[in-house]
Amino acid sequence: MYAPPILKLIDLFAKMPGVGRKSAVRLCFHVMSLPQKECEELIRAISDVKEKISLCETCQSFTDTQPCKICSDTRRSRKVICVVESPKDVSAMEKTHEFHGVYHVLHGVISPIDGVGPEDIKVKELLARVAGGEVEEVIMATNPTVEGEATALYLAKLLKPFDVKITRIAHGIPVGGDLEFTDEITLARAMDGRREITV
Amino acid sequence: MYAPPILKLIDLFAKMPGVGRKSAVRLCFHVMSLPQKECEELIRAISDVKEKISLCETCQSFTDTQPCKICSDTRRSRKVICVVESPKDVSAMEKTHEFHGVYHVLHGVISPIDGVGPEDIKVKELLARVAGGEVEEVIMATNPTVEGEATALYLAKLLKPFDVKITRIAHGIPVGGDLEFTDEITLARAMDGRREITV
């Protein structure tokens, strides 16, 4: 129905995460209706992220400086590394303003079913950092999915020979959540991770 | 939190229709994770739609040929013009395979509250076509919204001096719909537009 250049862009948009065919059509029509200047701005922004953004050679997160802002911040402790799946998780964690260590981004989780092995994610880079000797604690902050748990466990085993504390972030009922609507696995985890109230 | 080039692209994606902040972040990360070749393909596709696609000088729909494929199809009747709001509506109508006339895309509807007047949409182009003399019927297929109705009425009045039949597509209960869950305006329209069953 649409002309080939339109179809092509619709196809590319439809490949993006969370974009269905109808949204892709909408995005394509939006792009076509953009003034020339804004369209060039979009093209430049896309090529800029590819050109200017690379992986931080220390934590493997996306950065436009080397090392990244977090890794080069002297006020942050290099003794604690928080291991996350993706750069988005770094951003989520930073919003809490509670963590003052550094990060390590795996860029995925081990998932044999999807053909992702330890060599496909940033495991050896983490080992190299821990082997450096400065690290005292590694916090596994992968997602509480089957793959996230398995990856945390795998890394914990790998890091065992090094003299570091390995921890896992707590899972439980989200703040503001409701026991009634919490799934049983989360509830079991919440019970498991209960702490004494000191009054 | 993110580096400036990342923020810039997130901002641009967030301006797109139906893309919230979180989706924009996801799209941006998707673009960053694209292999260089696919990223170039995306950039080329975006610049292609801007370069190769223009408005058909007859029906005002998006096209890569002049006139567009529908307008240049000799099997289609130039006597019936179906007036729609956007090129997407042409595509939707074509899927029915029921209409064999030609289209006229308004690129919007008259909406004083949004500052859109008749001069902002393709009204004078429609008048010029009807004034050409070949047209026998103009079907108003704008959406059944307040603005769509008002635009249809406005165009009907404008076209009155010409010797053409002006019609409006029927509104009623969608096929497969349920009376119980149909809003009263649609139901009233459905009653209004009832037709005799000839047995």
Side-chain angles (χ1 to χ4, degrees), chain A residues 1-6 8 12 16-17 27 29-30 32 34 39 41 43 45 49-50 62 64 87 91 94-95, chain B residues 1-5 8 12 16-17 27 29-30 32 34 39 41 43 45 49-50 53 62 64 87 91 94-95:
Chain A
M1 217 75 79
Y2 297 117
I6 300 180
K8 175 77 192 171
L12 290 179
M16 292 189 174
L27 292 179
F29 277 74
H30 169 80
M32 285 195 282
L34 284 179
C39 188
E41 196 182 0
I43 288 174
V49 291
K50 289 304 279 188
F62 289 129
D64 59 343
S91 175
E94 282 298 281
K95 278 186 193 144
Chain B
M1 215 76 78
Y2 297 116
K8 175 77 193 170
L12 289 179
M16 292 188 175
L27 291 179
F29 278 75
H30 170 79
M32 286 195 283
L34 283 178
C39 189
E41 194 182 1
I43 288 175
V49 291
K50 289 303 279 187
I53 303 296
F62 288 129
D64 60 342
S91 174
E94 282 298 283
K95 277 185 194 146

Side-chain angles (χ1 to χ4, degrees), chain A residues 1-2 4 44-45 56 65 67-68 86 91 100 105 131 148 155 170 175 187 190:
Chain A
M1 217 75 79
Y2 297 117
R44 197 166 44 243
C56 168
T65 57
C68 75
S86 95
S91 175
H100 307 293
V105 180
L155 292 176
V175 176
L187 209 51

Side-chain angles (χ1 to χ4, degrees), chain A residues 15-17 45-46 49-50 53-55 60-63 84-92 95 105 107-108, chain B residues 1-3 5-11 13 19 21-35 39 42:
Chain A
K15 274 192 206 167
M16 292 189 174
I46 292 174
V49 291
K50 289 304 279 188
I53 303 296
S54 56
L55 298 188
Q60 311 295 325
S61 190
F62 289 129
T63 179
V84 293
E85 292 181 18
S86 95
K88 271 176 285 196
D89 302 329
V90 172
S91 175
K95 278 186 193 144
V105 180
H107 288 276
Chain B
M1 215 76 78
Y2 297 116
I6 300 180
L7 277 179
K8 175 77 193 170
L9 186 57
I10 291 174
D11 285 345
F13 277 138
V19 180
R21 193 81 194 163
K22 290 213 168 179
S23 307
V25 172
R26 209 145 54 134
L27 291 179
C28 180
F29 278 75
H30 170 79
V31 169
M32 286 195 283
S33 69
L34 283 178
C39 189
L42 176 65

Side-chain angles (χ1 to χ4, degrees), chain B residues 119-195:
Chain B
E119 66 288 347
D120 299 312
I121 61 174
K122 306 292 183 185
V123 169
K124 66 173 192 293
E125 289 83 355
L126 176 63
L127 284 181
R129 287 177 78 180
V130 176
E134 207 187 352
V135 184
E136 288 173 5
E137 180 178 358
V138 178
I139 305 170
M140 297 298 167
T142 51
N143 288 317
T145 57
V146 175
E147 293 81 10
E149 295 292 355
T151 304
L153 209 64
Y154 172 85
L155 292 176
K157 277 181 189 163
L158 265 190
L159 295 175
K160 213 171 174 201
F162 302 98
D163 184 27
V164 288
K165 194 165 135 193
I166 299 158
T167 55
R168 180 90 177 104
I169 50 164
H171 299 314
I173 300 164
V175 177
D178 193 319
L179 247 75
E180 190 185 345
F181 303 118
T182 305
D183 66 284
E184 57 272 33
I185 298 172
T186 304
L187 208 50
R189 291 282 196 102
M191 289 295 280
D192 227 35
R194 69 188 180 278
R195 291 213 248 167

